[in-house]
């Protein structure tokens, strides 16, 4: 004998189960989509990867070097860094640049940016305030380099603490407590250092 009440209850149970399964499936698909979205590199991370490739072409054998005067960077390479990230940096300072650009770029090799980009022996030592706009800082370095009268001003090398020091090993860079072993002192005392720029 047919029981319409039992049949109705069974249909409601099946519909409820179908809705529950569909809701669970939708939730799973949403979670998968969200995870894929989260796992997608940000625009800044994409720029890191692109610029890292560019650097690997210009300096294919990036390696650690002795701290001090041989970890300067040319004006040309400083301008390349600014140009590559200008839209992210805007008017920001080294306080933004180091954690958001320098550290991610140098993470795999745990080296200084100068070592990654290709270090040079210093011509000038720069003492500066990290709170200055990075674009203004680079413009100032460029003006100084042009003002030296050197025809090849782009190849002049500057020792800049957040570029020349290995930001992964700051304690070592400051000499592990002995200022005479610090990268700052070693660069300043080098015979190749023509002047300090402030």
């Amino acid at each position: 004998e047919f029981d319409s009440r039992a049949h109705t209850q069974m249909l409601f149970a099946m519909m409820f189960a179908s809705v529950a399964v569909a809701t669970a499936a939708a939730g799973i698909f949403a979670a998968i989509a969200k995870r894929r979205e989260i796992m997608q590199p940000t625009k800044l991370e994409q720029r890191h990867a692109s610029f890292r490739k560019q650097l690997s072409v210009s300096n294919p054998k990036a390696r650690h070097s002795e701290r001090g005067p041989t970890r300067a960077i040319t004006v040309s390479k400083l301008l390349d860094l600014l140009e590559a990230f200008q839209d992210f940096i805007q008017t920001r300072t080294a306080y933004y640049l180091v954690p958001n650009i320098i550290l991610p770029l140098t993470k795999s090799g745990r080296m200084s940016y100068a070592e990654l980009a290709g270090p040079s022996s210093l011509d000038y030592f720069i003492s500066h305030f990290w709170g200055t706009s990075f674009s203004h800082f680079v413009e100032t370095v460029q003006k100084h380099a042009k003002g030296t009268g050197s025809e090849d001003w782009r190849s002049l090398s500057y020792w800049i603490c957040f570029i020349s020091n290995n930001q992964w090993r700051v304690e070592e860079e400051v000499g592990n407590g002995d200022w005479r072993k610090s990268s700052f002192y070693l660069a300043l005392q080098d015979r190749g250092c023509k002047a300090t720029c402030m």
Side-chain angles (χ1 to χ4, degrees), residues 74-76 120 123 150 152-157:
T74 63
V75 175
S76 177
S120 305
D123 292 306
S150 172
D152 193 16
W153 60 268
R154 289 177 168 268
S155 68
L156 291 174
S157 295

Side-chain angles (χ1 to χ4, degrees), residues 16-172:
F16 180 75
S18 296
V19 169
V21 169
T23 302
I28 290 169
F29 287 125
I32 290 170
K34 185 70 174 171
R35 182 178 170 130
R36 282 188 180 158
E37 181 183 307
I38 290 170
M39 293 176 64
Q40 292 295 320
T42 65
K43 289 183 180 186
L44 181 55
E45 290 168 336
Q46 290 171 11
R47 187 74 55 82
H48 291 148
S50 171
F51 193 61
R52 231 182 269 108
K53 282 182 186 176
Q54 183 181 329
L55 291 173
S56 70
V57 170
S58 62
N59 187 30
K61 295 183 179 182
R63 63 180 182 270
H64 292 277
S65 61
E66 291 294 318
R67 65 179 176 266
T70 59
R71 276 208 223 140
I73 190 169
T74 63
V75 175
S76 177
K77 290 176 183 174
L78 192 61
L79 288 167
D80 289 345
L81 176 63
L82 176 60
E83 183 180 321
F85 293 97
Q86 178 65 62
D87 53 333
F88 292 99
I89 297 170
Q90 298 175 14
T91 60
R92 293 183 173 114
T93 69
Y95 292 115
Y96 169 84
L97 188 76
V98 171
N100 293 286
I101 296 172
I102 301 297
L103 287 173
L105 285 173
T106 60
K107 184 177 182 178
S108 63
R110 302 235 176 217
M111 58 181 56
S112 70
Y113 179 77
E115 291 166 313
L116 180 66
S120 305
S121 292
L122 88 158
D123 292 306
Y124 298 96
F125 180 96
I126 294 183
S127 178
H128 65 100
F129 171 49
W130 275 38
T132 300
S133 160
F134 182 65
S135 56
H136 178 74
F137 172 79
V138 173
E139 180 184 335
T140 303
V141 172
Q142 185 177 0
K143 283 182 181 178
H144 177 268
K146 286 179 178 180
T148 65
S150 172
E151 285 185 31
D152 193 16
W153 60 268
R154 289 177 168 268
S155 68
L156 291 174
S157 295
Y158 291 79
W159 192 96
I160 304 163
C161 66
F162 61 87
I163 299 281
S164 303
N165 281 328
N166 184 337
Q167 297 300 317
W168 298 98
R169 298 178 177 172
V170 174
E171 192 172 327
E172 290 176 26

